Amino acid sequence: QVQLVESGGGLVQAGGSLRLSCAASGSISSITTMAWYRQPPGKQRELLASITSGGSTAYADSVKGRFTISRDNAKNTVYLQMNSLKPEDTAVYYCKVETLTAWVKRTYWGQGTQVTVSS
């Protein structure tokens, strides 16, 4: 089992920045890929960025060049640095962690943190 605690959301003006954190505890030795998603009001959850255990990253076109995902394996934490925020970035942001143990893959989600960008 892996427990995830997110932090860092809040209210920010357009053009501002926020950094989200997601700290993992539990069976952390089996964590592979970590990722951030968001779900705007009335819309489906979308993948924003992911990072593998080896540090390879991938981004959605909507955030490429503005958001940066990183992870600190010593702290078992994944971050999402969000710059040049726009009102359309307003959403609940979720971290997702995948684990692989004995060839069984499991997925865990954080509780979500609200990000609101005012115009």
Side-chain angles (χ1 to χ4, degrees):
Q1 287 282 350
V2 173
Q3 293 77 46
L4 302 174
V5 178
E6 300 176 24
S7 60
L11 173 64
V12 64
Q13 288 188 331
S17 299
L18 283 174
R19 188 173 85 152
L20 305 182
S21 300
C22 175
S25 61
S27 301
I28 53 180
S29 61
S30 61
I31 291 176
T32 55
T33 300
M34 307 177 88
W36 286 96
Y37 287 68
R38 70 183 177 192
Q39 187 165 16
K43 297 185 179 180
Q44 290 190 334
R45 195 172 296 189
E46 61 174 334
L47 173 62
L48 300 177
S50 63
I51 184 166
T52 67
S53 55
S56 296
T57 58
Y59 295 91
D61 288 343
S62 59
V63 303
K64 199 174 294 184
R66 298 190 299 125
F67 291 10
T68 302
I69 189 170
S70 61
R71 64 192 283 174
D72 185 334
N73 291 328
K75 296 182 179 179
N76 306 307
T77 301
V78 61
Y79 304 97
L80 187 67
Q81 177 67 43
M82 306 185 293
N83 299 328
S84 302
L85 283 162
K86 306 173 182 179
E88 51 264 42
D89 293 319
T90 295
V92 179
Y93 284 68
Y94 298 90
C95 66
K96 187 187 83 171
V97 162
E98 295 178 351
T99 63
L100 183 64
T101 304
W103 306 106
V104 176
K105 179 179 152 181
R106 291 184 173 88
T107 299
Y108 300 90
W109 291 90
Q111 81 281 4
T113 185
Q114 176 70 45
V115 171
T116 302
V117 184
S118 63
S119 56

